[in-house]
Amino acid sequence: MSYLNKPFFYLTVLAIWWRGLVMPAMAQTGTFDVNITQPAYFSVQVPDGNYRVTVTLGNKKRKGETVVRAESRRLMIENAVTRKGEKAVYTFLVNKRSPSYIVKTDKGEQRETVRLKEREYGYLNWDDSLTLEFNGAAPAVSRIIIEPDTTATTIFLCGNSTVVDQDSEPWASWGQMIPRWFDTSVAISNHAESGLTARTFIGGNRLEKILSMMRPGDYVVCEFGHNDEKEHRPGDGAWYHYVYNLKIFIDKVRAAGGNIIFCTPTQRRAWQDDNRHIKDTHGDFPAAMRSVAERENVPVIDLNGMTRTFFETLGFEDSKKALVHYPANTYPGQDKALADNTHFNPYGAYEVAKMVVMGMKQLGLPLVSHIRGDWQDYNPASPDDPSAFKWYDAKSHDTRKPDGN
């Protein structure tokens, strides 16, 4: 993997909020002429909703290689190469949200809020601004246009640390990679968070937040299991509370006119004694999800099976390249080696995102008509070469393990 360690700068045309740096701003969209030639963040304060972002990339004086991400490291433009003097225009959708939402009651409207974890305060996903990150080997940006979009289909993501928009390097999850594969008629709104179960997701008002933003025809994708299997209160387990809570997702999403999709939980890198085959660690949870989905006619993407194939194809050693396995001193302040067999790094997250898109294609979901034209069908038995994958580090690093396992 390739990493970039150039310093970031902050473009303060309107507003920048980044790890404690706060500058006054106006809520505003529009067209902004800029001259970005090194890794930078650009931020505008806007209300919750979907926004159509158009960027003009290129530079009169040199070749450009630009990566564009949004909010908490959501991949939008993978690597746009422009020749000296060439301009290229790209458009994508960004979903912006804050913790608060309005609930309509018999007595009128009432303001509620998502119960954020302490680690989420300060995440770019939950602030009052829409933030763009320009990165790459030679960033080159000359214009940014930000406009509200009220017609796009929104895919809302629910889940845990394998789905969440991980805010800091070297962690990553498939939910922050999947925006790269959809065209300008689909926005991704990722409400997952590390350590959550289906029950705590609902209890933290995250489903209610989604329902407050969702329009008929939108989609809700759920991947749970990693943390649910560790709940041990009376009635917990795959066949009672887990399926009970999954049924709540089904009923509430459908009552609001939405479409629901399940994903079985990704495998952990846990090997059988032969070091050739992955050991199932999720017990009955994948089967329980498939069971309730079959009863309720919910489409299921089998990430459990696909990630097993993925790990076994890479093999015992190379499968580490998809997860947070790094020697000491790879990142600032990292005095010990990282060896996490659950949480993906950017390469692994990118591959799992492809599995989700491929799962949608195999199910024949209407969403596949909105996949970008450069998509190529994916087989986890023939994954991308880890050594060929390029990722340019964002400014934020945190070697503390995410919640959950």
Side-chain angles (χ1 to χ4, degrees):
M1 298 183 191
S2 175
Y3 294 95
L4 188 69
N5 293 315
K6 294 179 180 178
F8 279 69
F9 73 92
Y10 303 100
L11 196 63
T12 57
V13 174
L14 288 180
I16 293 297
W17 177 357
W18 186 253
R19 306 300 185 268
L21 176 63
V22 183
M23 296 188 178
M26 296 172 59
Q28 184 174 339
T29 56
T31 300
F32 310 97
D33 290 319
V34 297
N35 183 27
I36 297 175
T37 58
Q38 59 181 305
Y41 293 94
F42 180 93
S43 189
V44 294
Q45 223 175 53
V46 293
D48 285 4
N50 292 329
Y51 290 86
R52 182 173 297 268
V53 178
T54 302
V55 293
T56 302
L57 306 182
N59 188 278
K60 293 181 180 179
K61 298 181 179 180
R62 62 172 176 82
K63 173 185 175 180
E65 291 186 37
T66 310
V67 173
V68 184
R69 298 192 284 251
E71 299 289 82
S72 290
R73 300 164 64 233
R74 301 178 206 162
L75 184 60
M76 298 295 171
I77 305 298
E78 188 167 349
N79 192 41
V81 177
T82 49
R83 298 186 298 270
K84 179 181 176 180
E86 180 187 16
K87 295 292 180 69
V89 178
Y90 292 83
T91 301
F92 51 87
L93 292 181
V94 178
N95 177 270
K96 182 267 173 192
R97 68 173 190 270
S98 61
S100 65
Y101 61 96
I102 299 296
V103 175
K104 294 181 179 179
T105 69
D106 295 339
K107 298 180 180 179
E109 293 185 342
Q110 177 177 323
R111 183 170 294 277
E112 298 287 350
T113 186
V114 175
R115 299 189 184 100
L116 298 182
K117 289 189 167 190
E118 183 178 355
R119 57 176 268 144
E120 294 180 272
Y121 289 100
Y123 278 15
L124 294 179
N125 269 354
W126 287 113
D127 65 13
D128 291 328
S129 299
L130 186 159
T131 299
L132 302 174
E133 175 196 341
F134 298 102
N135 209 319
V141 188
S142 61
R143 175 169 287 183
I144 303 166
I145 302 173
I146 301 175
E147 307 167 287
D149 187 295
T150 59
T151 63
T153 297
T154 304
I155 303 175
F156 296 92
L157 306 183
C158 311
N160 50 43
S161 58
T162 64
V163 185
V164 65
D165 291 348
Q166 297 284 3
D167 201 59
S168 301
E169 308 290 351
W171 317 93
S173 299
W174 66 259
Q176 64 199 124
M177 300 296 179
I178 202 168
R180 184 258 182 268
W181 296 113
F182 283 96
D183 66 18
T184 56
S185 59
V186 172
I188 306 295
S189 184
N190 190 351
H191 294 250
E193 174 50 28
S194 298
L196 293 184
T197 67
R199 175 166 54 200
T200 57
F201 189 100
I202 295 168
N205 290 341
R206 293 172 195 260
L207 179 56
E208 293 303 318
K209 171 68 177 179
I210 289 172
L211 297 173
S212 75
M213 301 176 70
M214 194 178 74
R215 298 185 308 159
D218 286 344
Y219 288 78
V220 175
V221 181
C222 298
E223 185 210 320
F224 291 102
H226 280 83
N227 303 306
D228 307 71
E229 63 201 44
K230 298 188 286 272
E231 293 183 318
H232 299 297
R233 305 190 322 183
D236 283 338
W239 299 105
Y240 185 45
H241 275 158
Y242 181 62
V243 296
Y244 172 80
N245 286 303
L246 292 179
K247 183 67 163 59
I248 291 174
F249 280 91
I250 297 168
D251 292 346
K252 290 202 169 190
V253 169
R254 286 178 171 170
N259 304 288
I260 189 152
I261 303 167
F262 283 167
C263 296
T264 56
T266 57
Q267 291 280 0
R268 298 181 176 94
R269 182 182 167 274
W271 295 90
Q272 297 182 22
D273 292 341
D274 60 5
N275 284 345
R276 295 176 55 195
H277 298 94
I278 289 292
K279 177 169 55 179
D280 287 316
T281 63
H282 293 303
D284 288 339
F285 282 82
M289 174 176 275
R290 286 190 287 266
S291 176
V292 69
E294 183 176 1
R295 290 198 305 271
E296 300 293 331
N297 197 28
V298 175
V300 180
I301 297 170
D302 187 18
L303 286 185
N304 192 255
M306 286 191 277
T307 50
R308 177 192 296 108
T309 299
F310 173 61
F311 286 143
E312 292 179 353
T313 300
L314 290 176
F316 183 82
E317 283 299 324
D318 281 353
S319 58
K320 295 176 183 177
K321 297 177 181 178
L323 295 150
V324 178
H325 276 252
Y326 297 99
N329 302 311
T330 303
Y331 292 93
Q334 179 207 345
D335 57 357
K336 296 180 181 178
L338 297 173
D340 190 307
N341 290 313
T342 297
H343 297 107
F344 296 98
N345 62 15
Y347 163 72
Y350 184 85
E351 298 296 288
V352 179
K354 284 188 169 184
M355 296 177 207
V356 176
V357 175
M358 196 65 212
M360 292 178 177
K361 286 202 69 175
Q362 291 168 341
L363 290 167
L365 300 179
L367 282 170
V368 301
S369 64
H370 304 293
I371 296 173
R372 292 186 192 178
D374 63 344
W375 165 264
Q376 295 182 352
D377 283 354
Y378 181 81
N379 182 351
S382 301
D384 297 319
D385 181 357
S387 64
F389 179 75
K390 292 184 179 180
W391 181 263
Y392 298 90
D393 269 2
K395 176 181 172 60
S396 176
H397 297 82
D398 189 347
T399 56
R400 293 174 299 174
K401 180 178 174 296
D403 295 341
N405 180 31

